[in-house]
């Protein structure tokens, strides 16, 4: 016969068993925090806070090498419109879209072994600020130290450099960020070719003189957090092996239309002359030179209408570079490929090939 005290004893045993079981499950994971030396970051990432890292710029990356089977990322995003490629062992394996709630996102379930997981931001800063709180890995998993990149390349640009709509094959340039993939931009492709540490400072619609909004690149290029004018970048990438600048496409459109609001905001009723363009471009490259004193700088343009046959814009850039009298500043223009909107992935691949050939021809990627 089962007495009441025996029944109570059984209930207590079952309760303790469940409690211990849940406790074991909760302890089967470990966190690799944002400041762990096991992590490798690329790009301008805010690591000033103790337990979180801020991601803004396209192409910013966090990478973990580990021995184990599973990995999760703990993240949230201010807008929930930001996309990240999930790259496992060097191959893109899909993407994630962190929402506004902090949570652990499953990235991979793998066979036991040494693996690398990478989160690569494919969209620009206007889609939201992402907070990264670390990777969650299994208790039987351990992090593995990573080697540093041999080179470092910094790109400054507009929507072409962000890879805007490069995966949109609808015949349109849809702004939905799922169609923008910085990983397949000419800039990122070039950086991967050289296994380089990749920094991308770019925003769609921006110019060096005038943009489709008040902000211009000379006001943005030196920020850590692009949303905050009081967030200076310390130019910790001043030792870059190479700097590439692709600006002028938006300027070329707006300067031809002095009645536009964007034009009026910057210039009022002033008439911009060709010499003004040369002076402003030269001044911006001089700003960059002050931060990258020994880096080769490639001034490029394309592959949209600013390099169409008959366009004066390549000539403006050539004149500005000549006026610099700096033998370590080069000019290289992309072919006019994107005749019906922004360049698509295959156009970016051609641009990357062209840029790589130019780099090789002039032996620009030297060890520092």
């Amino acid at each position: 016969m089962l007495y009441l005290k025996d029944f109570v004893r059984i209930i207590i045993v079952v309760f303790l068993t469940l409690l211990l079981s849940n406790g074991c499950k909760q302890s089967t994971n470990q966190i690799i925090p944002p400041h762990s030396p096991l992590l490798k970051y690329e790009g301008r990432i805010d690591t000033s806070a103790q337990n979180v890292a801020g991601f803004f710029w396209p192409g910013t990356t966090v990478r973990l090498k580990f021995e184990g089977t599973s990995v999760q990322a703990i993240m949230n995003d201010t807008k929930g419109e930001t996309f990240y490629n999930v790259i496992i062992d060097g191959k893109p394996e899909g993407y994630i879209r962190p929402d506004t709630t902090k949570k652990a996102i499953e990235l991979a379930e793998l066979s036991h072994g040494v693996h690398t997981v990478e989160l690569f931001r494919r969209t620009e800063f206007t889609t939201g600020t992402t907070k990264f709180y670390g990777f969650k890995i299994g208790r039987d998993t351990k992090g593995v130290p990573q080697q540093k990149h041999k080179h470092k390349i910094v790109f400054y640009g507009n929507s072409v450099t962000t890879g805007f709509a490069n995966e949109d094959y609808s015949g349109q340039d849809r702004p939905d960020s799922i169609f923008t993939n910085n990983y397949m931009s000419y800039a990122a492709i070039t950086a991967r070719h050289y296994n380089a540490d990749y920094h991308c400072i770019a925003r769609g619609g921006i110019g060096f003189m005038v943009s489709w909004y008040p902000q211009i690149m000379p006001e943005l290029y030196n920020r850590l957090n692009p949303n905050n004018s009081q967030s200076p970048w310390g130019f910790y990438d001043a030792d870059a092996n190479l700097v590439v600048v692709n600006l002028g496409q938006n300027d070329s459109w707006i300067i031809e239309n002095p009645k536009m609001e964007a034009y009026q905001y910057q210039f009022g009723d002033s008439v911009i002359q060709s010499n003004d363009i040369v002076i402003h471009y030269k001044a911006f490259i001089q700003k960059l030179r002050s931060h990258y004193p020994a880096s080769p700088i490639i001034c490029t343009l394309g592959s949209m209408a600013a390099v169409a046959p008959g366009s004066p814009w390549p000539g403006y850039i050539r004149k500005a570079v000549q006026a610099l009298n700096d033998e370590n500043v080069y000019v290289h223009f992309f072919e006019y490929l994107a005749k019906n909107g922004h360049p698509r992935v295959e156009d970016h691949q051609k641009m990357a090939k062209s840029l790589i050939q130019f780099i090789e021809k002039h032996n620009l990627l030297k060890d520092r």
Side-chain angles (χ1 to χ4, degrees), residues 181-205:
N181 186 359
N182 185 261
Y183 189 80
M184 294 307 298
S185 71
Y186 77 92
I189 294 171
T190 301
R192 285 198 300 279
H193 175 83
Y194 290 106
N195 190 27
D197 189 345
Y198 172 52
H199 292 227
C200 181
I201 312 305
R203 182 184 179 185

Side-chain angles (χ1 to χ4, degrees), residues 310-329:
S311 170
W313 283 81
Y316 299 151
I317 292 176
R318 286 191 186 279
K319 287 181 180 179
V321 171
Q322 289 171 358
L324 286 167
N325 194 28
D326 184 336
E327 63 180 12
N328 214 16
V329 179

